[in-house]
Amino acid sequence: MITIKTTEEINLLREGGWRLAEILAEVARLVKPGVTGKELDMLAEKLIREGGDVPSFLNYRSRGKGVAYPASLCVSVNDQVVHGLPTGTQIIKAGDVVSLDLGLIHQGLFLDSALTLGVGKIDTIAQKLIGTTRESLSIGIAHVVAGKHVGDIGYAIERFIKPHGFGIVRELAGHGVGYEVHEDPYIPNYGKRGAGAELKKGMVVAIEPMINEGGDEIFLDKDGFTYRTRDGKRSAHFEHTVLITDGEPEILTQA
Ligand code: MG
Ligand code: MG
């Protein structure tokens, strides 16, 4: 079911989104050679709880899954696309492409955001992958406008990415958010213009292109959480929680 948030809820989402943006930026500053996923996760959880909020991914069970996610942050390195498990043995090194995905619950309302960064000196393909994925998020968000349809977002992202020759992950998608980690509508990063649900003022959605250096195919690692590229090439991910207004889209998860 697609939900419309009230004015009060929207104000709380703005507050929560601002907090999430600040925390994600602070965690990103800790990403350096030698840091572990576990350290990044611990910092993210600490900062969320210090603000009186709750990590939304911790203990989250996705549909059809028996095992709850055991961390607050997802740390996905190189060929890990999303949902990478931050552990003490996951050691970040120079040249890595690192995606951080974080969600929190502020006053009962859910926010979700992700970013990808290069560690130290990264090669030009990695730079292009990260830059193009970041730009594809902005291009998708430009279509998060009342009266447009879910398919318009994916269409815009796909049209932008295709000429670069990168793979668009098709098995995972953006989503409604606010009352839960994942709500309707399901928002693929490809699509047809005018297709799918109509976007309405007061809807809150997470837009999140996941773009691969190589092919679009992914698989679930044997850890049961981490998605990896089939061809072992790298992947990037950017995400914002966005409010549909009666004018320009409002990005909630930016400082
Ligand atoms: Mg996310
Ligand atoms: Mg999301």
Side-chain angles (χ1 to χ4, degrees), residues 57 74 82-83 100-103 111-114 175 181-182 206 208 237 239-241:
F57 300 166
C74 299
V82 287
H83 306 167
L100 305 175
D101 191 351
L102 186 63
L111 293 121
D112 195 354
S113 187
H175 50 91
V181 174
H182 293 121
E208 51 177 318
H237 178 212
E239 177 178 26
H240 272 309
T241 299

Side-chain angles (χ1 to χ4, degrees), residues 24-40:
L24 194 53
E26 192 160 342
V27 174
R29 282 194 284 274
L30 191 67
V31 175
K32 286 182 186 126
V35 75
T36 66
K38 183 75 192 163
E39 289 171 299
L40 298 173

Side-chain angles (χ1 to χ4, degrees), residues 201-215:
K201 182 185 172 186
M203 281 171 64
V204 176
V205 294
I207 306 301
E208 51 177 318
M210 290 153 266
I211 307 298
N212 297 343
E213 178 185 350

Side-chain angles (χ1 to χ4, degrees), residues 7 25 47 53 67 87 125 156 170 217 231 246:
T7 306
L47 294 173
D53 295 328
V67 186
T87 64
I125 299 171
R170 301 180 83 84
E217 280 187 69
D231 59 17
D246 46 17

Side-chain angles (χ1 to χ4, degrees), residues 3 6-8 11 15 29 31 35 42 52 59 73 108 110 116 120 132 146 190 198 218 244 253:
T3 62
T6 67
T7 306
E8 277 177 356
N11 284 331
E15 249 173 44
R29 282 194 284 274
V31 175
V35 75
M42 282 168 61
N59 298 319
L73 179 72
F110 291 67
T116 299
T132 306
Y190 59 90
E198 188 183 335
I218 59 170
I244 298 165
T253 44

